[in-house]
Amino acid sequence: MIYITRKEHFNAAHRMYREEWTAEQNQEMFGKCANPNWHGHNYNLFVTIKGEVTQETGYLMDLKDLKVIINNYVVEKLDHKNINLDVDFMKGKMASTELLTIEIFNQLKKPIELHPGVFLHSVKLYETENNSAEYFGG
């Protein structure tokens, strides 16, 4: 079994808040992240696939194909967007890094695993250089 990781990058804005809470409750829970005028991050996304190397090509998967999948299903939907307002797969969900990581995994699993013998192992998302979330499926 080999593990291959592809790194991509996108910029996006979001706000942490609950509509049913008061501004004070949101501020108390989420601090600066509850800013009503949003805030943004320069996200780094790491997608790890696993499987057996094909002897004919020497690849698990052509990484150009993996790049296209990540860009079509994730980066194009998120880059320079407002996660709370513009991203179809985040509608009705809290725009936390944790939930965003899970939803990115869900977006990528099927198109990646259409390639024979290739499995999505994990998605790791860095919101800042110090904060990240990683999801292995569930």
Side-chain angles (χ1 to χ4, degrees):
M1 179 88 48
I2 191 157
Y3 296 78
I4 305 292
T5 301
R6 171 85 189 173
K7 177 185 175 188
E8 293 293 341
H9 176 83
F10 61 90
N11 303 304
H14 72 149
R15 178 180 177 211
M16 301 294 296
Y17 72 103
R18 298 199 61 89
E19 288 184 19
E20 66 272 16
W21 290 2
T22 65
E24 293 77 22
Q25 287 174 304
N26 277 295
Q27 179 65 35
E28 185 176 327
M29 175 58 71
F30 301 117
K32 292 179 183 179
C33 294
N35 181 345
N37 294 315
W38 316 96
H39 69 281
H41 297 283
N42 300 314
Y43 291 92
N44 284 307
L45 173 64
F46 294 83
V47 177
T48 302
I49 58 174
K50 65 183 178 181
E52 299 298 330
V53 174
T54 303
Q55 293 305 311
E56 182 179 30
T57 64
Y59 294 156
L60 166 59
M61 178 181 185
D62 188 329
L63 293 181
K64 289 181 295 215
D65 294 340
L66 182 57
K67 177 183 179 176
V68 168
I69 290 169
I70 296 168
N71 278 304
N72 288 347
Y73 287 86
V74 175
V75 174
E76 289 298 319
K77 292 181 177 188
L78 286 163
D79 193 35
H80 288 81
K81 300 289 190 327
N82 181 310
I83 296 168
N84 301 76
L85 303 176
D86 302 329
V87 181
D88 61 348
F89 62 83
M90 290 300 292
K91 293 284 188 217
K93 298 176 179 76
M94 184 65 76
S96 68
T97 300
E98 294 90 329
L99 291 177
L100 182 57
T101 303
I102 291 168
E103 293 306 320
I104 289 171
F105 185 100
N106 292 338
Q107 292 296 302
L108 295 174
K109 184 170 176 55
K110 185 175 181 179
I112 286 173
E113 294 186 358
L114 287 173
H115 290 74
V118 179
F119 302 94
L120 179 56
H121 175 69
S122 68
V123 167
K124 187 169 192 174
L125 185 63
Y126 279 84
E127 181 179 74
T128 69
E129 67 180 52
N130 296 321
N131 299 327
S132 66
E134 189 168 14
Y135 185 62
F136 296 89

